[in-house]
């Protein structure tokens, strides 16, 4: 990223002091989404590599794809809100939706255009624009990208999943999973976020009443290779019911950390590890009572080769 440049017509005939003051103004921030929640609250994302200039900004979001929070939407009207911290000519904003999950491209495709908003020449202000979110089956299980572009070179992007009402109605029951945390909640650890975003695994925040809190089951990312997202979600919810959080990590072996900080090692696929951990928990003195109020355990999966 380079430093922000002033509009091309601004400084040719200004005296040195005026040029210094102008430069200090142009070094401030510019545009950031407020709703949907952006990947980052950084409102100074731009590029001078030529991909974002004028009406074109086909494949740039500033922050890496797959990072940041994910907002769940439903098809239909949506009011997109953002903050303009410094306006730029032509004072217009484009809203696009890339419909290929976990990619940042094709924002210039007319088929991905959601709307164009004409702003004002005020220096800083909040504004909004209503768009229609289309039914997008590809974005139900993995997040797609909504891009706000100010037709100058500044952008702000949000990760969005688009769930149709019929898809939401057949989702498995949440057992003891709490509602999603508010935006002001502490940030989710990167390993739990990786499980949630990359593999559609629900985030668990259930804690056992009393002095004990929760167990943590760390599973290698490679163990997901033979497991569908749907199966991973079912097992994550089942473990959440017995106060056990699932994390994906770049490790070679799985382990569960118990209430007393002791650990148990596991191996196999995601399902095999989860099932073995669940059975171990149900055979523990405290875990036995936890399992009594949770879904029955299915038959044992085959042992790993």
């Amino acid at each position: 990223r380079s430093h922000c440049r002033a509009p091309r017509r601004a400084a040719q005939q200004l005296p040195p002091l005026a040029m210094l003051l102008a430069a200090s103004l142009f070094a401030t921030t510019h545009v950031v989404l407020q709703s949907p929640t952006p990947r980052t609250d950084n409102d100074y994302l731009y590029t001078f590599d030529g991909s974002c200039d004028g009406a074109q900004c086909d494949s740039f979001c500033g922050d890496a794809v797959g990072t940041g929070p994910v907002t769940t939407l439903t098809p239909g009207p949506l009011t997109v809100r953002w903050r303009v911290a410094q306006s730029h000519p032509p004072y217009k904003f484009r809203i696009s939706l890339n419909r290929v999950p976990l990619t940042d491209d094709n924002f210039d495709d007319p088929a991905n255009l959601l709307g164009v908003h004409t702003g004002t020449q005020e220096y800083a202000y909040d504004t909004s624009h209503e768009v229609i979110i289309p039914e997008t089956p590809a974005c139900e299980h993995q997040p797609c990208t909504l891009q706000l572009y100010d037709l100058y070179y500044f952008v702000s992007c949000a990760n969005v999943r688009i769930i149709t009402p019929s898809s939401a109605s057949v989702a498995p029951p949440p057992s003891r999973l709490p509602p999603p945390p508010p935006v002001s909640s502490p940030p989710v650890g990167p390993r739990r976020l990786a499980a949630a975003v990359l593999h559609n695994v629900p985030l668990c925040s259930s804690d056992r009443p009393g002095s004990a809190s929760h167990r943590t089951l760390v599973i290698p990312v490679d163990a997901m290779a033979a497991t569908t997202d749907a199966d991973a979600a079912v097992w994550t919810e089942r473990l959440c019911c017995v106060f056990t959080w699932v994390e994906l990590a770049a490790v070679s072996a799985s382990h569960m950390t118990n209430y007393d900080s002791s650990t148990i090692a596991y191996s196999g696929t995601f399902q095999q590890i989860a099932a073995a951990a669940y059975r171990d928990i149900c055979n523990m003195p405290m875990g036995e009572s936890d399992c009594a109020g949770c879904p029955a355990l299915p038959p044992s999966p085959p042992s790993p080769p």
Side-chain angles (χ1 to χ4, degrees):
R1 300 176 190 166
S2 305
H3 291 291
C4 175
R5 62 182 178 188
R8 301 172 181 84
R9 300 167 297 182
Q12 290 184 356
Q13 298 181 353
L14 291 177
L17 178 59
M19 292 178 65
L20 180 61
L21 292 174
S24 67
L25 290 176
F26 289 123
T28 57
T29 53
H30 298 270
V31 61
V32 64
L33 282 164
Q34 295 175 320
S35 179
T37 304
R39 287 183 185 171
T40 173
D41 59 4
N42 181 0
D43 45 7
Y44 196 47
L45 298 176
Y46 63 95
T47 179
F48 286 161
D49 64 4
S51 61
C52 293
D53 191 12
Q56 299 179 345
C57 191
D58 187 67
S59 56
F60 179 74
C61 273
D63 292 277
V65 64
T67 61
V70 177
T71 300
T72 299
L73 306 176
T74 55
L78 172 72
T79 300
V80 179
R81 305 180 188 277
W82 64 95
R83 170 71 176 169
V84 179
Q86 179 183 324
S87 59
H88 291 292
Y91 310 107
K92 290 186 178 181
F93 302 84
R94 184 190 72 184
I95 304 169
S96 301
L97 176 67
N98 170 22
R99 308 185 195 189
V100 179
L102 296 175
T103 60
D104 287 342
D105 52 25
N106 296 322
F107 295 119
D108 289 352
D109 188 338
N112 291 336
L113 177 67
L114 297 183
V116 175
H117 177 82
T118 300
T120 71
Q121 298 186 30
E122 295 176 74
Y123 185 82
Y125 58 96
D126 294 334
T127 190
S128 63
H129 188 85
E130 184 168 286
V131 301
I132 301 298
I133 299 297
E135 289 193 11
T136 315
C139 304
E140 287 190 359
H141 302 297
Q142 301 282 13
C144 293
T145 304
L146 184 146
Q147 183 206 58
L148 172 69
Y149 172 51
D150 73 348
L151 275 69
Y152 187 71
Y153 44 68
F154 292 94
V155 301
S156 183
C157 294
N159 303 313
V160 296
R161 290 178 57 204
I162 303 172
I163 309 297
T164 61
S166 58
S167 298
S169 64
V170 298
S175 65
R176 293 182 183 175
L177 285 174
V183 175
S184 59
S185 296
V188 176
R191 297 196 301 196
R192 297 183 63 222
L193 184 60
V197 174
L198 299 181
H199 298 288
N200 194 29
V201 174
L203 287 174
C204 176
S205 59
S206 66
D207 282 330
R208 198 178 198 277
S211 59
S213 175
H214 62 268
R215 306 173 189 87
T216 301
L217 177 62
V218 176
I219 298 180
V221 174
D222 292 345
M224 286 294 300
T227 303
T228 66
D229 288 354
D231 287 339
V234 169
W235 275 108
T236 302
E237 291 188 351
R238 183 175 284 119
L239 287 163
C240 183
C241 188
V242 292
F243 312 109
T244 304
W245 297 6
V246 173
E247 294 184 353
L248 294 182
V251 295
S252 58
S254 175
H255 67 273
M256 179 170 66
T257 303
N258 297 307
Y259 295 141
D260 60 0
S261 299
S262 63
T263 60
I264 304 175
Y266 299 98
S267 62
T269 66
F270 186 103
Q271 290 170 280
Q272 291 166 346
I273 293 170
Y278 193 94
R279 289 187 176 88
D280 285 343
I281 292 169
C282 292
N283 289 326
M284 297 176 184
M286 297 177 68
E288 184 178 6
S289 60
D290 297 339
C291 292
C294 294
L297 193 66
S300 300
S303 300

